[in-house]
C-alpha cells in the first residue's frame, strides 16, 4: 500500500458520492470523465482494493470504497481547515473564472495584469462552463468571470464578439438531410444556436455525441462523430477543418461578470486586459465601446 494519497483523487471520490455518479462528478470537478475514471483507478491501485462495483447500469461503492470515502472526507476536512487558517494570515485573494474557450488565451494575460495592479493579492483561477461560472459569481465565490453569451442579451460588461465557426474531422461527409452534431450537454446556448441554424437550412440534426467539457467536444469531433459549432479566439483546433458548407453562424458575445461589491478598480483592470488581448488579434471582432447591463 502507498505511503501517501493524492488529495485531488480523494476529492474526486467525494464528488462521485455527492453527485451520485461519474458523469456529474466530472462536470463538478471540471475534468473529463476519462480523467475522473483514471483518478479512481489510481486510488484503487495505490490502496490495493476495489472501490466500486457495477449495480445494473450504475456503479456503487464497495464496502471497502465506503471505508475509503469516510477516510477521504476526514482528510479533506482537516486539509482544507488548515488552508483556511493559513489563508487568514495572508493578504486578500482574487478569484477569476473563465469559460474553457477563452482560458488558454486570456488568463495568462489576466494573471500578469492583476499581479502588477494588486501585488499584495493572490490570484486563483476557475475554469468551467459559462452557466456554472455565472452562478458562482452570483453566490460570490468567484470575483470575476469571462463567460460566453450566445444570446447577446446577458448581464455583465461586453468585452468582445467571437466568431462562431463550424468544425469537423477532415473528410466527414454530409449524410443526406441528416447532420451529425457534437455539442455540449444542455443547457448550452451554442448547442441551441447550432440546432436552430441547421434546422433553418432544412437539415434533420442528430446529436451524435455530447460532453460537459470542451475537451470532450473536441475529442468527439476529432473522432469523426460529427460537426461542432465553437467560438474562435484565434487559430484552428488541431486535427479539424472549417466547414464552410454550413450556414454562417455569426458571433457570440464574451462578457465579464463581476460579483456585487467588487472593487471598481479590479473590474476595470480585468475589462481593460481582456479588451487589450482581443485588440491584438485582428481576426476577432473587438467591442471597443463596452457597456454594462
Amino acid at each position: 500500500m502507498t505511503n501517501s494519497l493524492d488529495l485531488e483523487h480523494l476529492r474526486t471520490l467525494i464528488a462521485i458520492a455527492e453527485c451520485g455518479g461519474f458523469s456529474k462528478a466530472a462536470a463538478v470537478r471540471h475534468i473529463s470523465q476519462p480523467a475522473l475514471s483514471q483518478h479512481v483507478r489510481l486510488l484503487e491501485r495505490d490502496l490495493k482494493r476495489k472501490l466500486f462495483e457495477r449495480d445494473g447500469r450504475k456503479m456503487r461503492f464497495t464496502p471497502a470504497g465506503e471505508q475509503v470515502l469516510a477516510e477521504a472526507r476526514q482528510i479533506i476536512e482537516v486539509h482544507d481547515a488548515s488552508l483556511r487558517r493559513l489563508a487568514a494570515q495572508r493578504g486578500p485573494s482574487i478569484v477569476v473564472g473563465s469559460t474553457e474557450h477563452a482560458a488558454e488565451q486570456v488568463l495568462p494575460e489576466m494573471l500578469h495584469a492583476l499581479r502588477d495592479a494588486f501585488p499584495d493579492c493572490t490570484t486563483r483561477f476557475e475554469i468551467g462552463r459559462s452557466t456554472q461560472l455565472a452562478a458562482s459569481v452570483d453566490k460570490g465565490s468567484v470575483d470575476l468571470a469571462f463567460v460566453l453569451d450566445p444570446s447577446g442579451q446577458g448581464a455583465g460588461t461586453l468585452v468582445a464578439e467571437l466568431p462562431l465557426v463550424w468544425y469537423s474531422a477532415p473528410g466527414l461527409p454530409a449524410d443526406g438531410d441528416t447532420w451529425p452534431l457534437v455539442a455540449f450537454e444542455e443547457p448550452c446556448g451554442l448547442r441551441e444556436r447550432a440546432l436552430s441554424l441547421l434546422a433553418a437550412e432544412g437539415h434533420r440534426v442528430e446529436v451524435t455525441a455530447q460532453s460537459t467539457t470542451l475537451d470532450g467536444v473536441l475529442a468527439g469531433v476529432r473522432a469523426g462523430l460529427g460537426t461542432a459549432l465553437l467560438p474562435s479566439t484565434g487559430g484552428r483546433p488541431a486535427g479539424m477543418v472549417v466547414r464552410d458548407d454550413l450556414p454562417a453562424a455569426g458571433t457570440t458575445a464574451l462578457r465579464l461578470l463581476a460579483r456585487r461589491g467588487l472593487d471598481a478598480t479590479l473590474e476595470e483592470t480585468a475589462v481593460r486586459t481582456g479588451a487589450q488581448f482581443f485588440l491584438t488579434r485582428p481576426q476577432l471582432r473587438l467591442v471597443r465601446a463596452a457597456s454594462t447591463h
Side-chain angles (χ1 to χ4, degrees):
M1 185 179 295
T2 184
N3 291 323
S4 63
L5 294 171
D6 190 307
L7 293 177
E8 292 306 307
H9 297 171
L10 297 181
R11 293 188 191 278
T12 290
L13 200 68
I14 294 169
I16 293 171
E18 293 180 347
C19 296
F22 281 48
S23 178
K24 291 182 179 179
V28 168
R29 296 281 287 131
H30 304 306
I31 59 176
S32 66
Q33 191 163 332
L36 182 134
S37 297
Q38 179 70 358
H39 286 188
V40 173
R41 285 193 294 271
L42 291 173
L43 269 178
E44 292 181 326
R45 184 198 67 185
D46 292 343
L47 295 172
K48 293 182 170 54
R49 58 187 75 187
K50 189 174 179 60
L51 304 181
F52 290 91
E53 60 187 2
R54 187 162 294 282
D55 181 16
R57 298 179 63 183
K58 298 182 179 180
M59 299 294 285
R60 68 179 180 186
F61 283 93
T62 63
E66 294 284 0
Q67 181 185 14
V68 174
L69 175 63
E71 297 291 343
R73 293 186 191 277
Q74 292 185 47
I75 291 169
I76 294 300
E77 181 179 354
V78 171
H79 173 270
D80 289 355
S82 297
L83 286 184
R84 287 192 294 271
R85 289 192 295 271
L86 293 171
Q89 302 170 15
R90 299 199 310 258
S93 63
I94 302 168
V95 183
V96 180
S98 174
T99 175
E100 295 172 287
H101 306 278
E104 184 177 355
Q105 292 81 9
V106 175
L107 292 191
E109 303 285 342
M110 187 62 57
L111 177 59
H112 292 310
L114 293 177
R115 280 178 174 173
D116 290 344
F118 305 95
D120 295 330
C121 295
T122 58
T123 305
R124 180 167 62 85
F125 295 103
E126 287 197 13
I127 315 299
R129 296 183 65 181
S130 295
T131 51
Q132 296 168 337
L133 292 171
S136 296
V137 171
D138 285 341
K139 290 188 296 185
S141 58
V142 169
D143 295 311
L144 297 161
F146 289 93
V147 300
L148 295 180
D149 173 29
S151 72
Q153 304 297 317
T157 302
L158 192 58
V159 175
E161 290 181 3
L162 308 181
L164 291 174
V165 181
W166 296 98
Y167 295 104
S168 78
L172 180 74
D175 184 18
D177 289 334
T178 301
W179 202 274
L181 181 69
V182 180
F184 287 92
E185 289 187 3
E186 297 178 299
C188 175
L190 292 177
R191 176 182 177 132
E192 293 175 5
R193 175 83 67 90
L195 290 171
S196 175
L197 287 170
L198 291 172
E201 290 285 309
H203 294 291
R204 187 171 67 85
V205 185
E206 179 183 1
V207 178
T208 50
Q210 60 181 9
S211 175
T212 59
T213 67
L214 177 59
D215 282 345
V217 171
L218 295 177
V221 174
R222 291 190 181 105
L225 301 181
T227 56
L229 182 63
L230 299 171
S232 172
T233 55
R236 173 171 50 84
M240 299 185 193
V241 296
V242 175
R243 298 298 298 247
D244 294 323
D245 54 333
L246 291 175
T251 62
T252 182
L254 180 71
R255 294 185 181 274
L256 180 71
L257 305 181
R259 66 167 175 80
R260 286 196 185 97
L262 186 68
D263 185 293
T265 305
L266 175 56
E267 183 175 358
E268 290 167 4
T269 299
V271 171
R272 185 171 61 252
T273 302
Q276 182 62 36
F277 170 82
F278 291 104
L279 183 63
T280 61
R281 285 152 179 80
Q283 71 271 31
L284 304 178
R285 181 180 170 191
L286 174 71
V287 179
R288 300 178 184 274
S291 59
T292 302
H293 300 285

